[in-house]
Amino acid sequence: MTPNQPRVRVRVPAKVNVQLSVGPARPDGFHDLANVFLAVGLYDEITATPAETLRITCEGPDAGQVPLDHTNLAARAALTLAARHHIPPAVHLHITKDIPVAGGMAGGSADGAGALLACDRLWGLNSPRAELLDICAELGSDVPFSLLGGAALGTGRGEHLTPLPVGAPFSWVFAVADGGLSTPKVFQEFDRLTAGTPVPPPTANPALLTALSTGDPTALAATLTHSNDLQPAALTLRPSLTATLAAGTEAGALAALISGSGPTTAFLAKSPEAAADLAQALLTSGTCRTARVATSPAEGATVVEHTAEG
Ligand code: ATP
């Protein structure tokens, strides 16, 4: 990176699914979902600078687990945008990774949305948001929400989004586990566990949506007990998470659940102070690798620096 190069830096949040209602498997193998997304204040940053050819680099504690080839969602975003506009994908994308990798917090999707916005601005395309959301949906089910942020109900595979009102900030602790869980494997386990029993169509819980809109953590907690249909599958694949959930509950969490397909566990707290105490208790319990405090909702992908050629 030379100092007088143009550069665009974008910040993108992680997500937690406060509800993940999974319908029966469709003929294409995907499941229809009713997915209540909440963006949380743990962020990756993507910095785009001009380069001869597409190049990805990554830094952060889990950087070693991030693919640096064209399977990286950030690379796919740059390639897709460049192809649409018939321009070369001549960009260096540097990812500063703070979202746990393969943790059920949509870190890869965040990088896809962030890279898309960063390239769009670096290349002076300034595409309308609807067009960017369209490309996000091509990249993956969770990518549109990473661009949008806030809170939203996702239907279809999760990519059709309806923004949701949130009355007040919620405080969370995320307990990060050692190693990741593969989202497709968790869905396969869901299929195995539900084989032979009818799976009802996915529905969003109206009480949960009301609790979000009033910003009442106790009311929200009351709706979270069985809100993640992937939780039994994630727990079968990673039984040790039961101890993490129990440790958070014993330490006073209002609610404890698996984040998305796991293995990150999410704990709702009644205040930022309670969240800090809860994080400390989870760390001391020895049932997780690390515990992170965050609030929600968080803004979607945002340009935090745009430097023109100097
Ligand atoms: P989700 O919550 O959307 O199911 P996740 O948080 O469980 O996703 P990710 O961190 O998105 O999981 O990564 C899943 C896999 O995607 C990784 O194991 C990795 O091989 C691949 N991947 C592709 N691009 C990225 C990226 N930019 N960051 C992390 N992983 C990536």
Side-chain angles (χ1 to χ4, degrees):
M1 237 185 267
T2 49
N4 58 353
Q5 268 185 324
R7 68 192 225 139
V8 178
R9 188 158 54 92
V10 170
R11 193 178 79 156
V12 206
K15 61 85 186 158
V16 63
N17 304 82
V18 279
Q19 186 175 8
L20 185 38
S21 172
V22 182
R26 309 189 309 200
D28 65 3
F30 285 103
H31 294 258
D32 275 323
L33 306 173
N35 211 338
V36 182
F37 291 111
L38 197 53
V40 299
L42 290 180
Y43 301 96
D44 280 359
E45 280 192 355
I46 319 295
T47 304
T49 47
E52 300 263 304
T53 53
L54 176 61
R55 192 159 78 91
I56 306 283
T57 51
C58 183
E59 68 175 279
D62 293 342
Q65 297 162 49
V66 176
L68 299 178
D69 59 11
H70 290 186
T71 62
N72 191 302
L73 268 174
R76 289 189 41 221
L79 290 166
T80 308
L81 185 68
R84 277 213 182 188
H85 291 271
H86 310 288
I87 54 177
V91 65
H92 172 204
L93 293 168
H94 182 70
I95 304 170
T96 307
K97 195 139 202 55
D98 196 34
I99 303 175
V101 175
M105 298 194 79
S109 301
D111 298 347
L116 185 68
L117 182 60
C119 290
D120 184 73
R121 297 302 189 265
L122 184 75
W123 296 336
L125 302 171
N126 298 317
S127 308
R129 183 148 273 242
E131 200 176 310
L132 292 180
L133 281 170
D134 220 43
I135 300 175
C136 286
E138 249 179 66
L139 294 171
S141 313
D142 288 352
V143 186
F145 179 71
S146 298
L147 188 75
L148 189 72
L153 172 63
T155 51
R157 286 188 284 123
E159 78 282 27
H160 301 303
L161 295 174
T162 309
L164 294 170
V166 180
F170 291 99
S171 297
W172 295 91
V173 177
F174 295 95
V176 181
D178 271 324
L181 268 179
S182 145
T183 305
K185 287 218 173 87
V186 175
F187 272 100
Q188 276 165 25
E189 186 62 15
F190 171 89
D191 289 337
R192 197 185 67 78
L193 291 175
T194 55
T197 48
V199 176
T203 46
N205 177 358
L208 187 147
L209 302 185
T210 303
L212 272 184
S213 73
T214 55
D216 178 347
T218 309
L220 181 63
T223 67
L224 295 181
T225 312
H226 295 293
S227 69
N228 182 355
D229 286 349
L230 290 182
Q231 183 152 321
L235 287 176
T236 311
L237 294 174
R238 194 68 70 80
S240 61
L241 296 176
T242 308
T244 320
L245 292 171
T249 304
E250 274 161 36
L254 296 178
L257 73 161
I258 302 276
S259 177
S261 54
T264 304
T265 39
F267 302 89
L268 185 62
K270 67 174 186 305
S271 65
E273 297 73 30
D277 291 347
L278 185 55
Q280 194 50 52
L282 277 160
L283 274 178
T284 312
S285 76
T287 60
C288 58
R289 174 155 64 93
T290 179
R292 307 287 308 274
V293 170
T295 54
S296 65
E299 223 185 343
T302 306
V303 176
V304 288
E305 181 189 348
H306 189 164
T307 316
E309 201 148 6

